[in-house]
Amino acid sequence: MVIAAWPGVNAEWSREIDVPSTSSVDAPGTVRRWHLLDNGAELSRRGLAPLGTLLCVHGNPTWSYLWRSLLAAGSDPEHPWRVVAVDQLDMGFSERTGTFRRLADRINDLGDLTEALSLAGPVVTVGHDWGGVASLGWALAHSDQLAGVVLTNTAVHQPAGSPLPPALRLALHPAVHRWGTTTSDAFLRVTHSLARPPLPADVRSAFMAPYRGAARRAGVGNFVADIPVDGSHPSFAALNGVAEGLRRLNVPALMLWGPRDPIFSDRYLKDLLARLPHADVHRYEGAGHLVAEDRDIATPVFDWLAGRVTQGGDSPADNGSMRAGDGFTPLWGLLGELAAGPSAGAGAVVEMAPDGTEARSLTWRQLEENVGRVAAGLQGEGVGPGTRVSLMVPPGVDLTVALYACLRLGAVVVVADAGLGTRGLSRAVKGATPDVLIGIDKALAAARVLGWAARRISVRDLPAVQRRVLGVETSLAALARTSPGQGGAAPAFSPAADSPAAVLFTSGSTGPAKGVQYTHGQLAAMRDTVAGTFGIEPGDKLVAGFAPFALLGPALGTVSVTPAMDVTAPRTLTAHALAAAAAAIDATVVFASPAALRNVVATQAGLTQEGAAALKRVHLLLSAGAPVPEPLLDEVQRLLPAASLHTPYGMTEALPVTDISLEQIKAAAAAAGSGTMTGAGNGVCVGRPVQGARIALIPLAADGTAPATEPVTEAGVTGEILVSAPHVKGGYDRLWLTDQLSAGPAGWHRTGDVGHFDADGRLWVEGRLAHIITAPGAVVTPVGAEQAIESLDCVSMAAVVGVGPAGTQAIAAVVETMPPARKAGPAAAGLAAQVRRAARAAGVSVAAVLVVPAQPTDIRHNAKIDRSRLARWASSVLAGGRPGKP
């Protein structure tokens, strides 16, 4: 064999070794010839002492070539590890034995090989596909040598009630099996086609090399035939032994997963996590079965080894140096108090009908009773601490009751709103793998079709036929009918501060939505921060035009109502709907996104005299999610003349971080305009840290990156914004690598936003780190120029993006005009001149100006512009491509 011809393989790694076999399928004294890729000789030649050994085991129908990136990385003097990537017998370039080797034999074979190699610890096993099972079998049998395990898309157990994946059922079918796996090379070609993006021709050829000819593919067919489909299969006992043995495996574990795998889907990852709950997990959105080909796994593997194995401790993924203490009141703490006090009969939650009238409501006593009854009913359905419950219910009575019932049980609520779109929502929910889904009819139908959760609970009672079609077990209505005498009292649950409470998904405006993990202590800290910063007290009355604030209302002791609107599209909020909701509860506080406020101002002509009066009684307005232009706030102030207008800055990972009022915005603008204050201007002033929070910066380098350095707070220095607070998220759900990247120096959370401090200590946000433009000799942040352009009467929204190679980028402005342009493309000369003058006043030279009928914004906020998408579109248009739709 000529291994040196295969791309990415050092010829020095290839070796063969004779191994005495102790397998029961071999006669005594049998010696088997194994092929390995082993960088041990290279390390020795270069005088590098390995920190340990990675024992890498491929699956079916790959071979040791799968692990070439780990071999190369392990040969780096910065982190030398011996990497032994085996070709299992009958596979790769190892001997064709002529025997049917089952799982137990393969585990035994692996032990024979490591014995022959005199492999000493520490050893970290690495496995993929059915090689994952074999590697884990070896790990369990060699615990004295074992230092850790790494897994990529594999399985050790078939979840109850779940059929085998269709691809495996087809491969096992008697009419297909032999032809598909052995006679032809169809099984190999189908497996290789799962790579995303497609494998290069030379890499595909390398994977095919050991399996040319039916005689060399017997092991491929036998591997498939050895998949235990049920308890009668000869390998079932061995597989079950590995599966159960994992529960006692207490070494560090890392799982790197491709969710777009038609074979080993997220349900197998969920099973593995139940057996190895301490494992670090990273799901690569868009990656599939051959995750080692789809993504760079070598970098995270060796970073993980350094943090978890070599140093013998935690990796630096601590996302906040300030933590919520144990002496906290859980989120539902005020419910019982208000239900038993003078406010018991007062309104707690109000739900508006589409016509703007009050549809239904609950008093504090009724809310407490309903939460207790639903909690008891859910507990009877097996929901308890750690159970993941996906809530797909619009804001209102039902969602409030379900949320607080789940939290009281210790269940982990998964909140991913429909604003992510069907595709994004499905990706989020599948990734979170909820145990139970509680939803409205539309959500239940989608869950049934898309396989979002095995168990489903409807909001309302459904006819028997509809229940069967949707696979619904019961309803919130049925659970709420449970009488106190039948266990309706709220179950006792006393969470610790670090008990998991929620997975809240981001808006997806900067890539696939991420699940943000919150503990009970962090949720309580968020409540306390909001209350302390804005002076919100029990008895206040909140109109929440944004779902998270509607859910926070009862925790604050406020009466809460969501206006008649599509909460997944904030720009649907009208002035009439806002006023009707405010009148229904005599509101004192309003929370609405910038997009919602724009439409409120645009539709104010529809206000009735009563509605206008209700808005005049509001004393606090909060708006967050995107920058809020000062002129818009001025318009809102005229509608809510008694309100103090605040625009807190934050993100799903930490809400809020800073706060600023309209008066303070004007003061900051005046200081910037006078030019007397260091660091003022260029961006959006978001004020000072909220109660309990700290903020700092990592200064930008000349190439626009933010290398890890000590945090700074000096005025006028632009850098990535860091935050530390008790309410900063606990981590990202099954995104271990993202956790590492968001962990700043000394436990700070890296926000991915860029900004600076002025001389008065106020923070100015200039954009996202990913949207920085690297023009010749300068690093340009977009927000300052965008604000200057948006000051033009003819411009509604603007985005400033970079076009061309990094370091030499030209600056393009993409604008949405008023009235909207009929089609996208280059701007007219007059408009282009106005835009250039406005940008130049902000210190930015714009090379090209383009117009779009509407900016591509995120669905949740209707305000966050997808600048990365616009940059690609602008590059294409300026290169002569058809404009089309950005």
Side-chain angles (χ1 to χ4, degrees), residues 243-472:
E244 294 307 309
L246 291 187
R247 300 187 191 279
R248 65 175 187 273
L249 200 63
N250 59 5
V251 296
L254 174 66
M255 302 182 198
L256 301 176
W257 209 264
R260 295 183 66 184
D261 187 344
I263 303 166
F264 299 116
S265 61
D266 280 316
R267 70 186 184 191
Y268 295 102
L269 172 61
K270 182 176 183 177
D271 175 76
L272 284 165
L273 279 172
R275 299 168 193 279
L276 293 170
H278 64 281
D280 298 307
V281 180
H282 189 83
R283 297 172 69 258
Y284 292 93
E285 287 295 348
H289 180 68
L290 295 174
V291 66
E293 297 297 321
D294 295 353
R295 299 292 186 270
D296 167 25
I297 69 164
T299 299
V301 164
F302 282 90
D303 285 348
W304 177 82
L305 288 171
R308 293 284 197 250
V309 179
T310 308
Q311 296 175 3
D314 289 342
S315 59
D318 182 16
N319 290 316
S321 59
M322 300 172 68
R323 290 300 181 204
D326 287 325
F328 73 103
T329 302
L331 209 61
W332 61 87
L334 279 177
L335 269 63
E337 182 180 325
L338 290 169
S343 301
V349 182
V350 177
E351 194 171 295
M352 303 300 289
D355 64 359
T357 60
E358 183 178 323
R360 58 175 175 158
S361 63
L362 292 179
T363 65
W364 287 107
R365 181 184 295 114
Q366 290 169 331
L367 176 60
E368 172 71 7
E369 290 174 351
N370 282 14
V371 168
R373 288 171 177 166
V374 170
L378 287 171
Q379 188 176 55
E381 294 293 321
V383 175
T387 304
R388 289 197 167 199
V389 181
S390 176
L391 299 177
M392 292 196 171
V393 185
V397 170
D398 295 320
L399 180 57
T400 302
V401 169
L403 172 78
Y404 284 91
C406 288
L407 291 176
R408 282 193 179 183
L409 289 171
V412 178
V413 295
V414 177
V415 181
D417 64 58
L420 295 175
T422 302
R423 185 175 178 183
L425 182 60
S426 184
R427 181 168 51 209
V429 177
K430 281 187 174 181
T433 57
D435 302 289
V436 178
L437 184 145
I438 300 175
I440 58 174
D441 296 6
K442 185 177 179 180
L444 295 169
R448 181 71 164 183
V449 172
L450 300 174
W452 286 346
R455 302 183 62 196
R456 303 177 192 96
I457 296 173
S458 63
V459 171
R460 63 184 181 92
D461 292 329
L462 299 176
V465 173
Q466 192 175 1
R467 278 203 314 272
R468 287 196 297 272
V469 170
L470 297 177
V472 169

Side-chain angles (χ1 to χ4, degrees), residues 192-219:
H192 300 158
S193 72
L194 298 177
R196 306 172 188 279
L199 296 175
D202 55 350
V203 171
R204 192 167 60 249
S205 177
F207 273 116
M208 294 290 287
Y211 302 112
R212 302 194 185 280
R216 296 194 60 79
R217 292 193 288 265

Side-chain angles (χ1 to χ4, degrees), residues 592-764:
S593 73
L597 293 181
R598 286 181 191 274
N599 200 49
V600 167
V601 169
T603 59
Q604 60 184 299
L607 278 175
T608 64
Q609 186 174 356
E610 181 187 4
L615 293 181
K616 290 177 180 177
R617 292 193 293 272
V618 173
H619 67 66
L620 173 66
L621 178 132
L622 307 174
S623 186
V628 190
E630 185 181 330
L632 175 59
L633 290 174
D634 286 334
E635 291 278 358
V636 173
Q637 186 74 83
R638 283 189 278 273
L639 285 174
L640 287 73
S644 176
L645 273 53
H646 288 250
T647 60
Y649 158 72
M651 60 284 302
T652 308
E653 294 87 342
L655 183 68
V657 172
T658 66
D659 176 53
I660 191 168
S661 68
L662 177 57
E663 293 76 18
Q664 292 166 340
I665 290 172
K666 291 181 180 297
S674 68
T676 60
M677 181 173 288
T678 303
N682 187 26
V684 176
C685 186
V686 295
R688 297 181 177 84
V690 296
Q691 175 180 295
R694 295 185 297 149
I695 49 176
L697 302 171
I698 298 177
L700 293 184
D703 62 356
T705 62
T709 59
E710 285 301 308
V712 301
T713 56
E714 292 98 83
V717 176
T718 296
E720 183 181 3
I721 299 168
L722 307 175
V723 58
S724 179
H727 59 282
V728 171
K729 53 103 175 153
Y732 290 110
D733 190 45
R734 300 171 188 180
L735 291 171
W736 176 81
L737 182 56
T738 306
D739 271 336
Q740 310 309 297
L741 297 175
S742 70
W748 293 84
H749 167 65
R750 301 180 67 149
T751 66
D753 288 335
V754 174
H756 66 272
F757 293 105
D758 64 23
D760 200 31
R762 291 172 295 214
L763 178 67
W764 295 69

Side-chain angles (χ1 to χ4, degrees), residues 1-10 63 65 93 202 205-206 209-210 212:
M1 78 194 87
V2 188
I3 298 299
W6 310 131
V9 173
N10 182 338
W63 56 290
Y65 183 71
F93 288 105
D202 55 350
S205 177
R212 302 194 185 280

